[in-house]
Amino acid sequence: MSVTYLGMPAFPEAAAASTRDPRLRANLTHATHTIRDKRAKAVTELADWGRLRAAGAAVKDRTLRHLDHYLEQLEAAVTDAGGQVHWAADAVEANRIVTRLVRATGETEVVKVKSMATQEIGLNEALAEAGIHAYETDLAELIVQLGDDLPSHILVPAIHRDRAEIRDIFRREMGHWGRPAPEGLSDSPAELAEAARLHLREKFLSAKVGISGANFMVAESGTLVVVESEGNGRMCLTLPETLISVVGIEKVVPTWRDLEVFLQLLPRSSTAERMNPYTSTWTGTTDGDGPRTFHLVLLDNGRTDTLADTVGRQALRCIRCSACLNVCPVYERAGGHAYGSPYPGPIGAILTPQLRGVEGSLEASLPYASSLCGACYEVCPVAIDIPEVLVHLRERVVEGGPVTRGGVRTVLKSAKGHAAERAAMRAAGWVFGHPRALRAGMRLTSRTRRLHPRRLPGPGRAWSDTRDLPAVPAESFRDWWRRTRGTSSGSKQRGDGE
Amino acid sequence: MRVALFVTCINDALRPRTGRAVVTLLERLGVAVDFPAEQTCCGQPQFNTGYRHATEPLVRRFDRAFRDYEYVVTPSGSCTAMVRDNYPRIGAKAAAEGRGPELTGIAAAAVPKTYELTEFLVDVLKVTDVGAYYPHTVTYHPTCHGLRMLGLGDRPRRLLEQVEGLELRELPGAEECCGFGGTFAVKNPAVSAAMGADKVRNVTATGAEAVCTVDNSCLLHIGGSLSRQGSPVRPVHIAEILASTEADAQAPVEADTKAPAASGTEGSPR
Ligand code: SF4
């Protein structure tokens, strides 16, 4: 099981491949439409959704503005409660810390609670290199792991798989890693869930080390919070002797009171549930209850650099509900893998290029992986204006500009690959700056319109492969106005003889 | 009342009859229309592709063209949204970079007076019955910018419902993007085409003779797919429907592609 996102092709190529996969398209359309309809209903049940959403955004913004303060408060509270706090500047450092902590226990197997942060840093792969096997215990993560696959959705990592595929993966793979799938396993959801339950139970009961992320961290008490639907996470959080939680620094909230807002926003946005089924909270260690040792690894990995950007920083409000994925028409056709990161869909399109920088070809293509339709902004429970950030990042890709890398302010050069486009934009700018030239150009186009091809050359080619170009009119509006109204701009009032 | 028409570059060059329809319609409603010839493009394609600096001269040009008017009316939801949402952003970013202090003021002046056509009819003129006659079945696609950035709500629908002879057909999946998105269609052609195909399938399923929107850019995309499929469904801008009268219904259809000769409004499905 060695999977990686590195070296992924740029978004348009990957997405073009997925649009040709009818099974994938059908799975995704069915799943996203079902959940988006449910979410819409769950949200309209609350009369004050708009205010809740504003409150969620405000709490996050305030916390982010004083992030250093709340992180120090959190560290002190976690330490007071008997936990140990570790700071990781990047993925390599975080993986090194976790590997060292697991090694110190003498164990070679760990159970994992579904976690985006550990996906982001590639923890499972790093542990495997150190001879430590990490078992995913979330049902969908298990499907992905057994299938030697990559997650393609924040909430439902195996959304791209249908039941028949899952049954085949279980039958084929479970036996290699523990208890095999039952004889004659069918693709009924109940049987699949039961097979996973039996397979996982062995792991829960034998595991000495658990690894998790967290949805929230409460600064005032040093409490971590995980919300999940299956209860498998809670098993990992309570049974092992050692618990290691790897959490992005933006997940901190000041007080328990602030949680109230998010525990309303998150379940309705993500699973369309009124209340979350399993909400686990833990604060340091307690005698006779839960893990004996607790480590918190606070992960930066590009977050403070993102925070330095006044427009882009709103991406750090994200509570990973995945509502934006489920309404995104581009995600629905392209699938999650095309985004080349554990963060797919609209949030991935703005988060990945900020965490990793826009210099790579995949990262540079992500801000363009959107038609700017705004459906993501509309559903986002913390009101992240994703289209605004997309356009902001497009500017960074084509024009460069000031960025922060590793805490240092630098100026990014404009991208080389966009020279032709930049020239075209300049030419258009010149024409639009000279209305007379614009009119002359329109005239020329009209006069030669019978010679125009119905297909475009160059980069426009793919567009005109599936669509007809509009026919050029014989007369522009500008010329019509001049011909019928003269050069002065006024028109006649009704009743004055026209 | 005298208003300035901001026809937009796409309509100017590719769908002039939409601009002519706006003139016909507004004049019929007693509004005098000016066409300031200095106008060109709102800057949306450049801005949305990441060339913000290239849009600054266009913001200034917009101001020069429309400075003297109380109202600017445009038959384009997305160009209205460009002025309303992005001109202030362009001003703020320029100010943050210590340049063009006048841009902020220009944006502040442009925002409140720039109206998308249906907004202007319903909110300013306070009419929903514009005296139109259009004896056809029509389905309405609420474009993303009209729907989400402008919040047009049911304004276009209320106008269409008052059109004599018009039968409005519900569009399945109406609120989903058609897949145009400006340069998105060029940069991500496969996904754009897949989105367009689904939109066209839904349009066709309504059995309507025509599909209408408040934005010709989306309509060119939808129409291009319809035309490639040999579909008889006609893309029509809402202005062309609202400008139609009984007399137009009798008159032969005047196509944009014919040499200038006849006058009058066109836009009926063949
Ligand atoms: S960006 Fe908003 S909608 Fe998308 S996952 Fe994050 S919180 Fe949810």
PDB file of all heavy atoms in Angstrom, chain A residues 333 368 392 394-395 399 421 433 449 465 467-468 478 485 491, chain B residues 12 27 33 39 48 51-53 61 93 187 198 227-228 257:
ATOM      1  N   ARG A 333     -17.798  16.386 -12.293  1.00  0.00           N
ATOM      2  CA  ARG A 333     -17.344  15.781 -13.557  1.00  0.00           C
ATOM      3  C   ARG A 333     -15.898  15.312 -13.495  1.00  0.00           C
ATOM      4  O   ARG A 333     -15.537  14.326 -14.127  1.00  0.00           O
ATOM      5  CB  ARG A 333     -17.474  16.776 -14.719  1.00  0.00           C
ATOM      6  CG  ARG A 333     -18.825  16.789 -15.375  1.00  0.00           C
ATOM      7  CD  ARG A 333     -19.729  17.752 -14.694  1.00  0.00           C
ATOM      8  NE  ARG A 333     -21.112  17.739 -15.173  1.00  0.00           N
ATOM      9  CZ  ARG A 333     -22.036  18.505 -14.637  1.00  0.00           C
ATOM     10  NH1 ARG A 333     -21.762  19.318 -13.638  1.00  0.00           N
ATOM     11  NH2 ARG A 333     -23.280  18.444 -15.072  1.00  0.00           N
ATOM     12  N   TYR A 368      -7.621  27.577 -11.758  1.00  0.00           N
ATOM     13  CA  TYR A 368      -8.451  27.669 -12.965  1.00  0.00           C
ATOM     14  C   TYR A 368      -9.468  26.533 -13.058  1.00  0.00           C
ATOM     15  O   TYR A 368     -10.229  26.459 -14.016  1.00  0.00           O
ATOM     16  CB  TYR A 368      -7.561  27.674 -14.218  1.00  0.00           C
ATOM     17  CG  TYR A 368      -6.735  28.932 -14.316  1.00  0.00           C
ATOM     18  CD1 TYR A 368      -5.437  28.984 -13.840  1.00  0.00           C
ATOM     19  CD2 TYR A 368      -7.291  30.091 -14.861  1.00  0.00           C
ATOM     20  CE1 TYR A 368      -4.691  30.154 -13.897  1.00  0.00           C
ATOM     21  CE2 TYR A 368      -6.555  31.266 -14.925  1.00  0.00           C
ATOM     22  CZ  TYR A 368      -5.256  31.288 -14.443  1.00  0.00           C
ATOM     23  OH  TYR A 368      -4.538  32.451 -14.502  1.00  0.00           O
ATOM     24  N   HIS A 392      -7.912  35.650  -7.108  1.00  0.00           N
ATOM     25  CA  HIS A 392      -6.709  36.182  -6.451  1.00  0.00           C
ATOM     26  C   HIS A 392      -5.500  35.290  -6.757  1.00  0.00           C
ATOM     27  O   HIS A 392      -4.411  35.780  -7.068  1.00  0.00           O
ATOM     28  CB  HIS A 392      -7.004  36.239  -4.951  1.00  0.00           C
ATOM     29  CG  HIS A 392      -5.856  36.657  -4.093  1.00  0.00           C
ATOM     30  ND1 HIS A 392      -5.395  37.950  -4.050  1.00  0.00           N
ATOM     31  CD2 HIS A 392      -5.069  35.947  -3.241  1.00  0.00           C
ATOM     32  CE1 HIS A 392      -4.385  38.027  -3.197  1.00  0.00           C
ATOM     33  NE2 HIS A 392      -4.172  36.826  -2.694  1.00  0.00           N
ATOM     34  N   ARG A 394      -5.255  33.185  -9.308  1.00  0.00           N
ATOM     35  CA  ARG A 394      -4.971  33.241 -10.748  1.00  0.00           C
ATOM     36  C   ARG A 394      -4.018  34.390 -11.029  1.00  0.00           C
ATOM     37  O   ARG A 394      -3.095  34.265 -11.822  1.00  0.00           O
ATOM     38  CB  ARG A 394      -6.279  33.436 -11.528  1.00  0.00           C
ATOM     39  CG  ARG A 394      -7.148  32.201 -11.523  1.00  0.00           C
ATOM     40  CD  ARG A 394      -8.493  32.434 -12.195  1.00  0.00           C
ATOM     41  NE  ARG A 394      -9.326  31.252 -12.019  1.00  0.00           N
ATOM     42  CZ  ARG A 394     -10.485  31.061 -12.630  1.00  0.00           C
ATOM     43  NH1 ARG A 394     -10.956  31.979 -13.458  1.00  0.00           N
ATOM     44  NH2 ARG A 394     -11.168  29.951 -12.412  1.00  0.00           N
ATOM     45  N   GLU A 395      -4.280  35.503 -10.346  1.00  0.00           N
ATOM     46  CA  GLU A 395      -3.397  36.653 -10.518  1.00  0.00           C
ATOM     47  C   GLU A 395      -1.972  36.282 -10.088  1.00  0.00           C
ATOM     48  O   GLU A 395      -1.001  36.640 -10.759  1.00  0.00           O
ATOM     49  CB  GLU A 395      -3.935  37.803  -9.674  1.00  0.00           C
ATOM     50  CG  GLU A 395      -3.118  39.072  -9.812  1.00  0.00           C
ATOM     51  CD  GLU A 395      -3.588  40.152  -8.840  1.00  0.00           C
ATOM     52  OE1 GLU A 395      -4.804  40.210  -8.534  1.00  0.00           O
ATOM     53  OE2 GLU A 395      -2.742  40.933  -8.391  1.00  0.00           O
ATOM     54  N   GLU A 399       0.609  36.783 -12.966  1.00  0.00           N
ATOM     55  CA  GLU A 399       1.332  38.048 -12.813  1.00  0.00           C
ATOM     56  C   GLU A 399       2.393  38.006 -11.728  1.00  0.00           C
ATOM     57  O   GLU A 399       3.185  38.931 -11.596  1.00  0.00           O
ATOM     58  CB  GLU A 399       0.350  39.187 -12.501  1.00  0.00           C
ATOM     59  CG  GLU A 399      -0.600  39.517 -13.651  1.00  0.00           C
ATOM     60  CD  GLU A 399      -1.299  40.854 -13.492  1.00  0.00           C
ATOM     61  OE1 GLU A 399      -1.492  41.301 -12.356  1.00  0.00           O
ATOM     62  OE2 GLU A 399      -1.652  41.451 -14.526  1.00  0.00           O
ATOM     63  N   GLU A 421      -0.785  34.044 -23.594  1.00  0.00           N
ATOM     64  CA  GLU A 421      -2.029  34.571 -23.038  1.00  0.00           C
ATOM     65  C   GLU A 421      -1.846  36.029 -22.604  1.00  0.00           C
ATOM     66  O   GLU A 421      -2.702  36.864 -22.861  1.00  0.00           O
ATOM     67  CB  GLU A 421      -2.424  33.715 -21.835  1.00  0.00           C
ATOM     68  CG  GLU A 421      -3.729  34.114 -21.212  1.00  0.00           C
ATOM     69  CD  GLU A 421      -4.021  33.252 -19.997  1.00  0.00           C
ATOM     70  OE1 GLU A 421      -4.613  32.175 -20.182  1.00  0.00           O
ATOM     71  OE2 GLU A 421      -3.641  33.641 -18.871  1.00  0.00           O
ATOM     72  N   GLY A 433      -8.939  49.900 -25.275  1.00  0.00           N
ATOM     73  CA  GLY A 433      -8.551  51.257 -24.901  1.00  0.00           C
ATOM     74  C   GLY A 433      -8.735  52.230 -26.046  1.00  0.00           C
ATOM     75  O   GLY A 433      -8.570  53.433 -25.867  1.00  0.00           O
ATOM     76  N   ARG A 449     -16.753  37.806 -42.620  1.00  0.00           N
ATOM     77  CA  ARG A 449     -17.355  36.742 -41.809  1.00  0.00           C
ATOM     78  C   ARG A 449     -17.620  35.460 -42.581  1.00  0.00           C
ATOM     79  O   ARG A 449     -17.669  34.380 -41.997  1.00  0.00           O
ATOM     80  CB  ARG A 449     -18.614  37.234 -41.125  1.00  0.00           C
ATOM     81  CG  ARG A 449     -19.771  37.529 -42.040  1.00  0.00           C
ATOM     82  CD  ARG A 449     -20.888  38.157 -41.219  1.00  0.00           C
ATOM     83  NE  ARG A 449     -22.159  38.014 -41.899  1.00  0.00           N
ATOM     84  CZ  ARG A 449     -22.535  38.842 -42.876  1.00  0.00           C
ATOM     85  NH1 ARG A 449     -21.736  39.809 -43.270  1.00  0.00           N
ATOM     86  NH2 ARG A 449     -23.690  38.663 -43.461  1.00  0.00           N
ATOM     87  N   ASP A 465     -14.466  21.898 -30.620  1.00  0.00           N
ATOM     88  CA  ASP A 465     -14.693  20.491 -30.947  1.00  0.00           C
ATOM     89  C   ASP A 465     -16.106  20.052 -30.597  1.00  0.00           C
ATOM     90  O   ASP A 465     -16.648  19.139 -31.200  1.00  0.00           O
ATOM     91  CB  ASP A 465     -13.706  19.599 -30.175  1.00  0.00           C
ATOM     92  CG  ASP A 465     -12.388  19.473 -30.923  1.00  0.00           C
ATOM     93  OD1 ASP A 465     -12.338  19.919 -32.086  1.00  0.00           O
ATOM     94  OD2 ASP A 465     -11.437  18.936 -30.344  1.00  0.00           O
ATOM     95  N   ARG A 467     -18.675  22.475 -29.675  1.00  0.00           N
ATOM     96  CA  ARG A 467     -19.653  23.551 -29.775  1.00  0.00           C
ATOM     97  C   ARG A 467     -19.450  24.318 -31.071  1.00  0.00           C
ATOM     98  O   ARG A 467     -18.321  24.473 -31.530  1.00  0.00           O
ATOM     99  CB  ARG A 467     -19.486  24.525 -28.594  1.00  0.00           C
ATOM    100  CG  ARG A 467     -20.035  23.996 -27.305  1.00  0.00           C
ATOM    101  CD  ARG A 467     -19.260  24.498 -26.116  1.00  0.00           C
ATOM    102  NE  ARG A 467     -17.932  23.878 -26.022  1.00  0.00           N
ATOM    103  CZ  ARG A 467     -17.241  23.759 -24.909  1.00  0.00           C
ATOM    104  NH1 ARG A 467     -17.707  24.220 -23.806  1.00  0.00           N
ATOM    105  NH2 ARG A 467     -16.057  23.187 -24.901  1.00  0.00           N
ATOM    106  N   ASP A 468     -20.535  24.823 -31.651  1.00  0.00           N
ATOM    107  CA  ASP A 468     -20.401  25.667 -32.837  1.00  0.00           C
ATOM    108  C   ASP A 468     -20.094  27.089 -32.421  1.00  0.00           C
ATOM    109  O   ASP A 468     -20.661  27.601 -31.452  1.00  0.00           O
ATOM    110  CB  ASP A 468     -21.703  25.649 -33.647  1.00  0.00           C
ATOM    111  CG  ASP A 468     -21.826  24.388 -34.484  1.00  0.00           C
ATOM    112  OD1 ASP A 468     -20.781  23.731 -34.702  1.00  0.00           O
ATOM    113  OD2 ASP A 468     -22.946  24.058 -34.903  1.00  0.00           O
ATOM    114  N   ARG A 478     -22.552  48.985 -32.348  1.00  0.00           N
ATOM    115  CA  ARG A 478     -21.917  50.292 -32.488  1.00  0.00           C
ATOM    116  C   ARG A 478     -22.233  50.932 -33.848  1.00  0.00           C
ATOM    117  O   ARG A 478     -22.600  52.100 -33.922  1.00  0.00           O
ATOM    118  CB  ARG A 478     -20.421  50.026 -32.394  1.00  0.00           C
ATOM    119  CG  ARG A 478     -19.523  51.073 -31.870  1.00  0.00           C
ATOM    120  CD  ARG A 478     -18.169  50.435 -31.578  1.00  0.00           C
ATOM    121  NE  ARG A 478     -18.203  49.791 -30.280  1.00  0.00           N
ATOM    122  CZ  ARG A 478     -17.956  50.450 -29.131  1.00  0.00           C
ATOM    123  NH1 ARG A 478     -17.594  51.706 -29.156  1.00  0.00           N
ATOM    124  NH2 ARG A 478     -18.033  49.821 -27.982  1.00  0.00           N
ATOM    125  N   ARG A 485     -28.744  56.370 -35.541  1.00  0.00           N
ATOM    126  CA  ARG A 485     -28.896  57.489 -34.617  1.00  0.00           C
ATOM    127  C   ARG A 485     -27.869  58.596 -34.823  1.00  0.00           C
ATOM    128  O   ARG A 485     -27.893  59.581 -34.095  1.00  0.00           O
ATOM    129  CB  ARG A 485     -28.743  56.999 -33.164  1.00  0.00           C
ATOM    130  CG  ARG A 485     -29.530  55.772 -32.844  1.00  0.00           C
ATOM    131  CD  ARG A 485     -30.983  56.142 -32.614  1.00  0.00           C
ATOM    132  NE  ARG A 485     -31.818  54.983 -32.534  1.00  0.00           N
ATOM    133  CZ  ARG A 485     -32.722  54.797 -31.558  1.00  0.00           C
ATOM    134  NH1 ARG A 485     -32.858  55.664 -30.609  1.00  0.00           N
ATOM    135  NH2 ARG A 485     -33.476  53.736 -31.574  1.00  0.00           N
ATOM    136  N   SER A 491     -30.964  59.303 -27.801  1.00  0.00           N
ATOM    137  CA  SER A 491     -32.064  58.680 -28.516  1.00  0.00           C
ATOM    138  C   SER A 491     -33.302  59.534 -28.307  1.00  0.00           C
ATOM    139  O   SER A 491     -33.331  60.427 -27.482  1.00  0.00           O
ATOM    140  CB  SER A 491     -32.322  57.269 -28.014  1.00  0.00           C
ATOM    141  OG  SER A 491     -33.037  57.307 -26.802  1.00  0.00           O
TER     142      SER A 491
ATOM    143  N   ASP B  12     -22.024  43.774 -28.389  1.00  0.00           N
ATOM    144  CA  ASP B  12     -21.666  44.711 -29.445  1.00  0.00           C
ATOM    145  C   ASP B  12     -21.213  43.941 -30.692  1.00  0.00           C
ATOM    146  O   ASP B  12     -21.727  44.167 -31.793  1.00  0.00           O
ATOM    147  CB  ASP B  12     -20.540  45.617 -28.920  1.00  0.00           C
ATOM    148  CG  ASP B  12     -20.292  46.814 -29.816  1.00  0.00           C
ATOM    149  OD1 ASP B  12     -20.887  46.887 -30.900  1.00  0.00           O
ATOM    150  OD2 ASP B  12     -19.483  47.675 -29.424  1.00  0.00           O
ATOM    151  N   GLU B  27     -37.240  52.397 -24.906  1.00  0.00           N
ATOM    152  CA  GLU B  27     -37.943  53.525 -25.528  1.00  0.00           C
ATOM    153  C   GLU B  27     -39.455  53.323 -25.484  1.00  0.00           C
ATOM    154  O   GLU B  27     -40.215  54.264 -25.274  1.00  0.00           O
ATOM    155  CB  GLU B  27     -37.441  53.736 -26.958  1.00  0.00           C
ATOM    156  CG  GLU B  27     -36.003  54.278 -26.957  1.00  0.00           C
ATOM    157  CD  GLU B  27     -35.452  54.582 -28.338  1.00  0.00           C
ATOM    158  OE1 GLU B  27     -36.073  54.170 -29.345  1.00  0.00           O
ATOM    159  OE2 GLU B  27     -34.394  55.223 -28.408  1.00  0.00           O
ATOM    160  N   VAL B  33     -32.635  56.602 -24.362  1.00  0.00           N
ATOM    161  CA  VAL B  33     -31.415  55.803 -24.239  1.00  0.00           C
ATOM    162  C   VAL B  33     -30.254  56.498 -24.945  1.00  0.00           C
ATOM    163  O   VAL B  33     -30.390  56.952 -26.084  1.00  0.00           O
ATOM    164  CB  VAL B  33     -31.606  54.398 -24.864  1.00  0.00           C
ATOM    165  CG1 VAL B  33     -30.353  53.561 -24.696  1.00  0.00           C
ATOM    166  CG2 VAL B  33     -32.812  53.702 -24.251  1.00  0.00           C
ATOM    167  N   GLN B  39     -17.460  53.688 -24.584  1.00  0.00           N
ATOM    168  CA  GLN B  39     -17.483  52.415 -23.841  1.00  0.00           C
ATOM    169  C   GLN B  39     -16.870  51.283 -24.666  1.00  0.00           C
ATOM    170  O   GLN B  39     -16.957  51.262 -25.889  1.00  0.00           O
ATOM    171  CB  GLN B  39     -18.915  52.055 -23.477  1.00  0.00           C
ATOM    172  CG  GLN B  39     -19.818  51.809 -24.682  1.00  0.00           C
ATOM    173  CD  GLN B  39     -21.202  51.344 -24.252  1.00  0.00           C
ATOM    174  OE1 GLN B  39     -21.386  50.197 -23.888  1.00  0.00           O
ATOM    175  NE2 GLN B  39     -22.158  52.260 -24.290  1.00  0.00           N
ATOM    176  N   ASN B  48     -11.008  37.965 -14.474  1.00  0.00           N
ATOM    177  CA  ASN B  48     -11.248  36.587 -14.053  1.00  0.00           C
ATOM    178  C   ASN B  48     -10.131  35.636 -14.455  1.00  0.00           C
ATOM    179  O   ASN B  48     -10.042  34.526 -13.936  1.00  0.00           O
ATOM    180  CB  ASN B  48     -12.589  36.083 -14.601  1.00  0.00           C
ATOM    181  CG  ASN B  48     -13.755  36.597 -13.773  1.00  0.00           C
ATOM    182  OD1 ASN B  48     -13.554  37.196 -12.723  1.00  0.00           O
ATOM    183  ND2 ASN B  48     -14.958  36.363 -14.244  1.00  0.00           N
ATOM    184  N   TYR B  51      -5.545  38.826 -14.745  1.00  0.00           N
ATOM    185  CA  TYR B  51      -4.833  40.018 -15.199  1.00  0.00           C
ATOM    186  C   TYR B  51      -5.518  41.270 -14.647  1.00  0.00           C
ATOM    187  O   TYR B  51      -6.079  42.065 -15.381  1.00  0.00           O
ATOM    188  CB  TYR B  51      -4.771  40.041 -16.732  1.00  0.00           C
ATOM    189  CG  TYR B  51      -4.014  38.858 -17.286  1.00  0.00           C
ATOM    190  CD1 TYR B  51      -4.676  37.674 -17.596  1.00  0.00           C
ATOM    191  CD2 TYR B  51      -2.639  38.911 -17.461  1.00  0.00           C
ATOM    192  CE1 TYR B  51      -3.977  36.564 -18.068  1.00  0.00           C
ATOM    193  CE2 TYR B  51      -1.932  37.810 -17.937  1.00  0.00           C
ATOM    194  CZ  TYR B  51      -2.613  36.649 -18.232  1.00  0.00           C
ATOM    195  OH  TYR B  51      -1.919  35.559 -18.697  1.00  0.00           O
ATOM    196  N   ARG B  52      -5.441  41.391 -13.358  1.00  0.00           N
ATOM    197  CA  ARG B  52      -6.127  42.502 -12.689  1.00  0.00           C
ATOM    198  C   ARG B  52      -5.602  43.857 -13.139  1.00  0.00           C
ATOM    199  O   ARG B  52      -6.383  44.789 -13.357  1.00  0.00           O
ATOM    200  CB  ARG B  52      -5.972  42.374 -11.172  1.00  0.00           C
ATOM    201  CG  ARG B  52      -6.447  43.592 -10.411  1.00  0.00           C
ATOM    202  CD  ARG B  52      -6.435  43.363  -8.912  1.00  0.00           C
ATOM    203  NE  ARG B  52      -5.135  42.965  -8.413  1.00  0.00           N
ATOM    204  CZ  ARG B  52      -4.201  43.811  -7.982  1.00  0.00           C
ATOM    205  NH1 ARG B  52      -4.422  45.102  -7.997  1.00  0.00           N
ATOM    206  NH2 ARG B  52      -3.050  43.373  -7.521  1.00  0.00           N
ATOM    207  N   HIS B  53      -4.288  43.946 -13.286  1.00  0.00           N
ATOM    208  CA  HIS B  53      -3.738  45.255 -13.639  1.00  0.00           C
ATOM    209  C   HIS B  53      -4.247  45.728 -14.999  1.00  0.00           C
ATOM    210  O   HIS B  53      -4.429  46.916 -15.216  1.00  0.00           O
ATOM    211  CB  HIS B  53      -2.213  45.218 -13.597  1.00  0.00           C
ATOM    212  CG  HIS B  53      -1.688  45.054 -12.199  1.00  0.00           C
ATOM    213  ND1 HIS B  53      -1.254  43.843 -11.710  1.00  0.00           N
ATOM    214  CD2 HIS B  53      -1.584  45.937 -11.177  1.00  0.00           C
ATOM    215  CE1 HIS B  53      -0.890  43.994 -10.446  1.00  0.00           C
ATOM    216  NE2 HIS B  53      -1.076  45.250 -10.088  1.00  0.00           N
ATOM    217  N   ARG B  61     -12.054  53.785 -18.024  1.00  0.00           N
ATOM    218  CA  ARG B  61     -12.816  54.064 -19.243  1.00  0.00           C
ATOM    219  C   ARG B  61     -14.321  53.992 -18.963  1.00  0.00           C
ATOM    220  O   ARG B  61     -15.088  54.822 -19.455  1.00  0.00           O
ATOM    221  CB  ARG B  61     -12.419  53.049 -20.330  1.00  0.00           C
ATOM    222  CG  ARG B  61     -13.311  53.077 -21.566  1.00  0.00           C
ATOM    223  CD  ARG B  61     -12.697  52.343 -22.724  1.00  0.00           C
ATOM    224  NE  ARG B  61     -11.511  53.033 -23.214  1.00  0.00           N
ATOM    225  CZ  ARG B  61     -11.536  54.107 -23.996  1.00  0.00           C
ATOM    226  NH1 ARG B  61     -12.695  54.598 -24.393  1.00  0.00           N
ATOM    227  NH2 ARG B  61     -10.433  54.699 -24.374  1.00  0.00           N
ATOM    228  N   LYS B  93      -7.482  46.912  -4.037  1.00  0.00           N
ATOM    229  CA  LYS B  93      -6.157  46.330  -4.237  1.00  0.00           C
ATOM    230  C   LYS B  93      -5.178  47.379  -4.755  1.00  0.00           C
ATOM    231  O   LYS B  93      -4.016  47.401  -4.353  1.00  0.00           O
ATOM    232  CB  LYS B  93      -6.239  45.141  -5.199  1.00  0.00           C
ATOM    233  CG  LYS B  93      -6.740  43.857  -4.526  1.00  0.00           C
ATOM    234  CD  LYS B  93      -6.441  42.642  -5.390  1.00  0.00           C
ATOM    235  CE  LYS B  93      -6.595  41.354  -4.596  1.00  0.00           C
ATOM    236  NZ  LYS B  93      -6.222  40.169  -5.382  1.00  0.00           N
ATOM    237  N   LYS B 187      -9.691  26.712 -20.904  1.00  0.00           N
ATOM    238  CA  LYS B 187      -8.656  26.102 -20.067  1.00  0.00           C
ATOM    239  C   LYS B 187      -9.036  24.706 -19.589  1.00  0.00           C
ATOM    240  O   LYS B 187      -8.166  23.893 -19.290  1.00  0.00           O
ATOM    241  CB  LYS B 187      -8.363  27.003 -18.861  1.00  0.00           C
ATOM    242  CG  LYS B 187      -7.633  28.270 -19.260  1.00  0.00           C
ATOM    243  CD  LYS B 187      -7.219  29.063 -18.035  1.00  0.00           C
ATOM    244  CE  LYS B 187      -6.524  30.343 -18.408  1.00  0.00           C
ATOM    245  NZ  LYS B 187      -5.094  30.181 -18.669  1.00  0.00           N
ATOM    246  N   ASP B 198     -24.765  18.412 -20.211  1.00  0.00           N
ATOM    247  CA  ASP B 198     -25.851  18.162 -19.257  1.00  0.00           C
ATOM    248  C   ASP B 198     -26.885  19.285 -19.298  1.00  0.00           C
ATOM    249  O   ASP B 198     -28.090  19.046 -19.193  1.00  0.00           O
ATOM    250  CB  ASP B 198     -25.285  18.024 -17.834  1.00  0.00           C
ATOM    251  CG  ASP B 198     -24.520  16.712 -17.665  1.00  0.00           C
ATOM    252  OD1 ASP B 198     -24.653  15.837 -18.543  1.00  0.00           O
ATOM    253  OD2 ASP B 198     -23.786  16.566 -16.668  1.00  0.00           O
ATOM    254  N   SER B 227     -26.550  23.931 -31.279  1.00  0.00           N
ATOM    255  CA  SER B 227     -26.375  23.984 -32.721  1.00  0.00           C
ATOM    256  C   SER B 227     -25.551  22.797 -33.215  1.00  0.00           C
ATOM    257  O   SER B 227     -25.869  22.187 -34.232  1.00  0.00           O
ATOM    258  CB  SER B 227     -25.729  25.322 -33.079  1.00  0.00           C
ATOM    259  OG  SER B 227     -24.941  25.224 -34.221  1.00  0.00           O
ATOM    260  N   ARG B 228     -24.493  22.452 -32.467  1.00  0.00           N
ATOM    261  CA  ARG B 228     -23.672  21.309 -32.876  1.00  0.00           C
ATOM    262  C   ARG B 228     -24.489  20.020 -32.886  1.00  0.00           C
ATOM    263  O   ARG B 228     -24.284  19.133 -33.697  1.00  0.00           O
ATOM    264  CB  ARG B 228     -22.455  21.196 -31.947  1.00  0.00           C
ATOM    265  CG  ARG B 228     -21.563  20.000 -32.197  1.00  0.00           C
ATOM    266  CD  ARG B 228     -20.962  19.973 -33.589  1.00  0.00           C
ATOM    267  NE  ARG B 228     -20.180  21.147 -33.933  1.00  0.00           N
ATOM    268  CZ  ARG B 228     -18.874  21.266 -33.702  1.00  0.00           C
ATOM    269  NH1 ARG B 228     -18.216  20.294 -33.149  1.00  0.00           N
ATOM    270  NH2 ARG B 228     -18.243  22.358 -34.038  1.00  0.00           N
ATOM    271  N   THR B 257     -27.119  38.042 -39.155  1.00  0.00           N
ATOM    272  CA  THR B 257     -26.131  37.702 -40.167  1.00  0.00           C
ATOM    273  C   THR B 257     -26.486  38.262 -41.537  1.00  0.00           C
ATOM    274  O   THR B 257     -25.718  38.140 -42.470  1.00  0.00           O
ATOM    275  CB  THR B 257     -25.972  36.176 -40.261  1.00  0.00           C
ATOM    276  OG1 THR B 257     -27.264  35.588 -40.187  1.00  0.00           O
ATOM    277  CG2 THR B 257     -25.137  35.669 -39.124  1.00  0.00           C
TER     278      THR B 257
END
